[in-house]
Amino acid sequence: NDLSNNNDREVTEDEQTFRAILQELTEREQSVFMLLVGGYTNMQIADQLCLSNGTVKNYISTIYEKIGTKERNALIMKYSRFVKEND
């Protein structure tokens, strides 16, 4: 077997970080995070996941706490391409 198959697509540092973030989150937080990074508003996330807007805000606060940032736009810029890949 040829080991070069594993290097077909280099895993970037951002992608490793993205995967690490997902592992830190609960399943529900992952769903919220994926939509958040996909550019959805809190209200759209609430509609998509059948949650109240307040519940979405709570999840987002928890996510921000776990990953150590509140920079929504920075998260979108950095990770939105992985959401599309993992869809």
Side-chain angles (χ1 to χ4, degrees), residues 5-83:
N5 289 346
N6 293 339
N7 294 330
D8 282 349
R9 194 177 69 76
E10 190 182 327
V11 177
T12 64
E13 198 176 313
D14 282 352
E15 188 170 1
Q16 286 177 332
T17 305
F18 178 75
R19 290 177 181 175
I21 287 170
L22 288 179
Q23 287 178 339
E24 292 296 310
L25 304 177
T26 66
E27 206 171 307
R28 185 54 116 177
E29 289 165 356
Q30 286 177 13
S31 300
V32 172
F33 180 73
M34 295 295 269
L35 293 171
L36 175 123
V37 173
Y40 286 70
T41 65
N42 288 10
M43 196 52 104
Q44 289 170 324
I45 294 170
D47 290 345
Q48 192 83 21
L49 299 178
C50 300
L51 299 170
S52 74
N53 205 27
T55 301
V56 169
K57 284 181 181 173
N58 290 341
Y59 276 121
I60 290 173
S61 293
T62 303
I63 291 166
Y64 285 160
E65 218 168 275
K66 285 185 177 184
I67 64 178
T69 186
K70 290 186 173 176
E71 296 292 323
R72 187 179 194 129
N73 287 337
L75 290 172
I76 292 169
M77 300 277 289
K78 195 169 188 178
Y79 300 123
S80 63
R81 67 182 185 270
F82 304 124
V83 173

